[in-house]
Amino acid sequence: MRLIRRVSRLAAVGILALLSEAAAAKAEYEIAFASFAPLDSDVFIADADGTNARPLLPHPESDSNASFSSDGKWIVFTSRRFGSSDIYRVRPNGSKLEKLVDHPAYDDQAALSPDGQTMAFVSSRSGNADVWLLDMRTRKATNLTAAAGGDFRPSWSPDGQWIAFSSDRTSSNPRIPAGDFTIRHSTEIYIIRRDGTGLRRLSVDDAFAGSPSWSPDGSRLVFYIAPITEVAKVTGARRLRGTTQIAAMDIASGQRTILTSGEGEKWSPRWVVGQSIAYVSGGPEGGIERSSGVRGARGVFTNPAWSPDGSKMVFHRDVATAWPPHHRWVSLDPRFGLVRTGIFPSYRRDGTRRVSNDRTAGILHNALLTMDADGSNSTVLFRDADRSALAPDWSPDGRRIAFGLGGFFQNQTGPAQADIATVNVSGKDLQLLTNGDGNYGLPSWSGDGRHIVLRKAGSDGNALEIVDIASRSKRSLLAGAAHYNFPAWSPVTDRIAFTADIGGDYEIWTIGADGTDLTRLTHSPGNDAHNSWSPDGKWIAFASARQGFKDEALLHRANPQPYGEIYVMRSDGSEAHALTDEPYEKGTPAWRPISRHR
């Protein structure tokens, strides 16, 4: 059996590679980007306490969010094995795999009704995350919740008449700490009849309540709760420990009982056979816990679910760690090929080589890596023991690479100082273009290679500045009370695109290199950022949060911003549309020059 599964997995790798390469060959453009999505996750089946875990249906693409049918004969789960997040079912022994939902949008978090005739799931096909119902006989899908904001983690009542879910429809989406780039959300618990009537909000904390689960008699719900400040710790860039608790609520009276105490994260509670409640704890010693006090296996158990008889459990966890990736990604627009890479990729003008950072996040201490365009032959180009080297940009003549050198992320790490530096393609001849009088970063070369536009931040003000490579002289391009970020110089014109919160919301703007003709390109709620020009100057790729959250933020603990898709738009801001649709932050897009550009 193990040999058969290994052969199947290798065959899947080959098929996916062929399909991805065929799609890439037809694309007019190619965009590299970074993502906090798992490199690969598998669904595991284990004994009820989490021991004896084994992969259910191993595959090189991510599988996640599994649950049992009420008769225990099926397991439904989400998989990207054919490019987008779709929903499948399979027997507990791994046989009779069947796709249930096939749509280009994000489809996830499935739960079968007690009679097995209907499946509730979360889908973004309406433009944001809603709870949908799938008729298992006709395969017709209907939108159950159809509301602004995101709806997540549906759970059926034992009689099959009600669905509980969490929703951020009333969230104020604060930025914590104040002024931070990262948007948070809070979720409340709701119930709704399966016919769409009787919507009722149960929790009223304006904090965080998530992942509801019904008691066997249908009279109570169990869920996790947390102040939003604690959620901000857990999901923040610094990955701090936070504290959440497990609570139960009587549906008729609204009376709530806190079932746990003490520090540490606790989430994904489930009623398991009778009155026992199981949940997951976080941290180095985290694992499966029980309300009875009996601990299960230690380790990572994401979104656990138990069989009806309580003898088995399913969950998912990451199974790959190699970094940085080079992974073809399915694009919603075939004109734009996608490849997932390390953070802040940048290509040499001939498209044959790439430079990127070596760590998984910008807040970490980064070095610079160079490699072939396909990710092979990776070597460390530059590393500094004391200073982080962040956001490299390859010069137009291919001879030098510019980057920020120092400390960054002042909101999270305290006062920081950084300069703009360049090295040659051998990582030698370090030269500083700034003189240590600010926090400089995110350099971008002019098309002729004579200037660099950069971001300056600090207590003495925020600005975009342009430095002359030869003379080292600087001039201010734009300054003010706003935060200016991610400047990108068009390779074919003297226009510079950038991100700024002018007016309070982060949008994409452009300005002439002479400081004239300031123009706003995007007008959407949420962050628009990480802008990058196509080699012909016709398109701008960027990351956008306009679709909102697609899952509860606390369940994505390695992802400080579990939202944000890769978009493209014309250089004048028209024809903006998404290329990706997943519940993970994506950003730092960069265009690879290829010969077939039109």
Side-chain angles (χ1 to χ4, degrees):
M1 178 62 73
R2 289 182 179 176
L3 178 60
I4 293 174
R5 286 187 173 180
R6 177 167 176 77
V7 170
S8 298
R9 188 173 188 132
L10 291 173
V13 172
I15 292 171
L16 286 170
L18 289 173
L19 291 174
S20 298
E21 291 300 329
K26 295 179 181 179
E28 301 175 34
Y29 299 91
E30 182 173 297
I31 301 172
F33 69 97
S35 173
F36 280 98
L39 293 169
D40 183 19
S41 62
D42 277 339
V43 169
F44 287 76
I45 188 167
D47 294 343
D49 61 357
T51 59
N52 298 317
R54 62 190 186 280
L56 173 65
L57 204 66
H59 193 276
E61 293 288 344
S62 290
D63 295 339
S64 60
N65 290 330
S67 62
F68 283 93
S69 61
S70 60
D71 60 8
K73 295 181 179 180
W74 291 100
I75 294 171
V76 294
F77 67 100
T78 302
S79 179
R80 293 192 69 256
R81 59 188 57 211
F82 285 102
S84 64
S85 289
D86 295 312
I87 298 171
Y88 296 74
R89 70 176 177 181
V90 69
R91 296 293 191 189
N93 65 3
S95 65
K96 296 188 177 181
L97 178 67
E98 178 186 4
K99 182 183 283 191
L100 301 178
V101 176
D102 184 2
H103 194 279
Y106 163 72
D107 299 304
D108 191 17
Q109 304 166 44
L112 287 166
S113 61
D115 62 8
Q117 300 302 304
T118 308
M119 184 178 74
F121 65 102
V122 172
S123 179
S124 64
R125 63 187 69 187
S126 62
N128 58 273
D130 287 319
V131 175
W132 289 65
L133 297 181
L134 181 76
D135 186 300
M136 294 293 287
R137 182 180 63 83
T138 66
R139 296 295 197 266
K140 180 181 178 182
T142 57
N143 192 334
L144 178 67
T145 57
D151 301 325
F152 324 111
R153 301 286 161 180
S155 174
W156 290 89
S157 63
D159 64 5
Q161 298 305 305
W162 292 87
I163 293 173
F165 63 98
S166 63
S167 178
D168 66 7
R169 61 183 66 190
T170 61
S171 176
S172 62
N173 290 341
R175 298 181 187 271
I176 300 176
D180 188 35
F181 181 79
T182 305
I183 298 172
R184 314 293 177 179
H185 76 159
S186 59
T187 60
E188 303 285 358
I189 304 298
Y190 291 76
I191 59 174
I192 190 172
R193 291 186 184 275
R194 64 185 299 165
D195 63 1
T197 64
L199 178 68
R200 178 184 167 195
R201 176 176 167 177
L202 296 183
S203 62
V204 288
D205 290 331
D206 296 321
F208 214 103
S211 297
S213 174
W214 295 81
S215 64
D217 63 5
S219 66
R220 292 184 293 168
L221 284 171
V222 65
F223 46 89
Y224 67 87
I225 58 172
I228 196 167
T229 52
E230 293 298 305
V231 176
K233 288 181 184 179
V234 179
T235 59
R238 299 181 68 187
R239 315 291 199 275
L240 301 176
R241 293 296 306 279
T243 295
T244 69
Q245 305 296 349
I246 304 299
M249 176 179 284
D250 182 86
I251 295 174
S253 67
Q255 182 178 355
R256 190 170 70 181
T257 304
I258 307 300
L259 303 178
T260 58
S261 62
E263 297 182 350
E265 303 101 45
K266 312 164 192 72
W267 55 80
S268 300
R270 301 286 186 271
W271 245 290
V272 183
V273 183
Q275 300 302 308
S276 175
I277 296 170
Y279 60 94
V280 176
S281 61
E285 299 300 321
I288 300 298
E289 314 289 355
R290 294 269 186 161
S291 58
S292 60
V294 178
R295 303 179 84 194
R298 303 294 88 189
V300 177
F301 297 87
T302 307
N303 192 42
W306 279 262
S307 59
D309 63 3
S311 65
K312 297 292 181 183
M313 66 172 291
V314 288
F315 63 93
H316 69 270
R317 64 169 53 137
D318 295 358
V319 294
T321 58
W323 190 268
H326 180 90
H327 183 70
R328 292 286 178 187
W329 205 271
V330 172
S331 173
L332 296 176
D333 185 338
R335 293 176 296 174
F336 301 91
L338 295 175
V339 58
R340 180 186 177 183
T341 67
I343 64 171
F344 291 106
S346 176
Y347 287 90
R348 195 165 69 183
R349 279 285 177 95
D350 64 6
T352 62
R353 295 281 290 172
R354 182 172 75 227
V355 61
S356 73
N357 283 121
D358 68 325
R359 303 296 296 275
T360 57
I363 198 172
L364 304 175
H365 190 102
N366 276 271
L368 305 182
L369 298 177
T370 54
M371 64 205 75
D372 292 340
D374 64 1
S376 62
N377 300 316
S378 175
T379 60
V380 175
L381 175 73
F382 177 84
R383 187 190 306 275
D384 186 279
D386 301 315
R387 297 171 292 180
S388 182
L390 193 66
D393 190 48
W394 215 306
S395 67
D397 64 8
R399 296 179 179 179
R400 299 192 70 82
I401 292 168
F403 53 96
L405 181 63
F408 306 94
F409 291 86
Q410 297 177 92
N411 281 345
Q412 287 81 24
T413 62
Q417 183 271 325
D419 286 301
I420 300 300
T422 69
V423 293
N424 63 26
V425 293
S426 298
K428 308 298 183 181
D429 188 29
L430 176 68
Q431 298 182 17
L432 298 183
L433 303 184
T434 54
N435 55 8
D437 61 345
N439 186 268
Y440 298 99
L442 303 170
S444 176
W445 297 83
S446 61
D448 60 11
R450 297 170 57 188
H451 301 86
I452 283 177
V453 63
L454 53 91
R455 181 282 324 265
K456 180 182 179 182
S459 59
D460 60 341
N462 303 314
L464 296 180
E465 296 185 349
I466 292 178
V467 60
D468 183 281
I469 302 298
S471 69
R472 304 294 198 268
S473 63
K474 299 197 307 291
R475 63 180 173 89
S476 178
L477 177 65
L478 190 65
H483 297 86
Y484 306 99
N485 236 327
F486 304 107
W489 207 312
S490 168
V492 297
T493 71
D494 264 343
R495 286 203 73 73
I496 293 166
F498 64 96
T499 295
D501 59 349
I502 301 170
D505 192 34
Y506 283 95
E507 305 286 356
I508 308 295
W509 301 71
T510 61
I511 191 172
D514 60 359
T516 63
D517 192 25
L518 177 65
T519 304
R520 179 174 170 177
L521 298 188
T522 61
H523 300 78
S524 71
N527 296 337
D528 290 327
H530 294 221
N531 35 272
S532 174
W533 295 87
S534 63
D536 57 13
K538 295 180 179 180
W539 295 90
I540 295 174
F542 63 102
S544 179
R546 63 188 65 188
Q547 293 184 31
F549 291 81
K550 293 170 182 156
D551 200 358
E552 298 165 1
L554 193 59
L555 301 182
H556 296 252
R557 297 170 305 284
N559 189 180
Q561 302 174 64
Y563 57 81
E565 305 297 346
I566 300 299
Y567 274 68
V568 291
M569 63 182 170
R570 294 284 185 181
S571 59
D572 63 359
S574 63
E575 297 184 39
H577 58 284
L579 303 183
T580 62
D581 191 355
E582 296 286 337
Y584 303 97
E585 180 190 359
K586 303 161 207 69
T588 67
W591 302 72
R592 178 189 175 191
I594 51 179
S595 60
R596 56 180 176 274
H597 280 202
R598 298 178 181 175

